[in-house]
């Protein structure tokens, strides 16, 4: 994962140079507010990059947003559903996978 301050979205493909281009999860999101709560719950100052999401958003509630459209700049993203955390989250920090699992906390 490489941090970027800007990226290019390609219609029907996702983020340019992303591993999941054209796949089911073309763009993944995580909420800043949820991430902050998780860090507090786990008692650690976790960096959001540990979640390995493409975009960190604030002020946007992702829970139950299936089939909604989110506009970011000139781009529109159709939200297909929740992303369940994989074992890499547990490798990044013990307890993170389980903390991310319920209520769309994985993004």
């Amino acid at each position: 994962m490489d941090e970027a301050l800007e990226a290019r979205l390609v219609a029907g493909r996702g983020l340019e140079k992303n591993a999941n281009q054209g796949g089911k999860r073309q763009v993944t999101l995580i909420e800043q507010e949820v991430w902050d709560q998780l860090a507090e719950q786990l008692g650690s100052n976790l960096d959001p990059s540990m979640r390995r999401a493409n975009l960190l958003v604030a002020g946007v509630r992702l829970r139950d947003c299936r089939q909604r459209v989110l506009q970011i700049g000139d781009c529109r993203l159709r939200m297909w559903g929740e992303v369940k955390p994989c074992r890499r989250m547990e490798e990044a920090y013990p307890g993170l996978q389980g903390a991310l699992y319920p209520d769309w906390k994985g993004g």
Side-chain angles (χ1 to χ4, degrees):
M1 297 293 294
D2 298 319
E3 183 178 340
L5 298 178
E6 59 183 55
R8 182 170 179 250
L9 284 169
V10 179
R13 303 269 315 144
L15 287 169
E16 189 174 70
K17 299 181 184 177
N18 188 44
N20 288 335
Q21 277 203 358
K24 184 178 178 183
R25 288 182 266 170
Q26 296 175 8
V27 179
T28 55
L29 309 171
I30 185 78
E31 292 175 61
Q32 178 72 58
E33 295 84 357
V34 167
W35 188 260
D36 292 344
Q37 290 171 356
L38 289 171
E40 184 176 327
Q41 174 186 334
L42 294 171
S44 181
N45 188 18
L46 302 174
D47 189 286
S49 66
M50 293 175 88
R51 170 54 191 84
R52 302 174 57 86
N54 298 123
L55 298 172
L56 178 67
V57 297
V60 176
R61 191 82 173 113
L62 297 177
R63 184 178 181 187
D64 299 322
C65 67
R66 188 174 279 115
Q67 296 301 319
R68 293 191 181 152
V69 176
L70 174 65
Q71 184 153 347
I72 299 177
D74 293 334
C75 299
R76 294 171 18 125
L77 304 174
R78 177 162 312 275
M79 312 299 282
W80 289 110
E82 173 183 17
V83 176
K84 288 296 188 182
C86 67
R87 72 178 191 280
R88 288 190 164 245
M89 300 303 100
E90 200 62 23
E91 293 168 3
Y93 190 86
L96 183 57
Q97 182 179 10
L100 284 166
Y101 204 85
D103 299 323
W104 288 64
K105 290 179 183 163

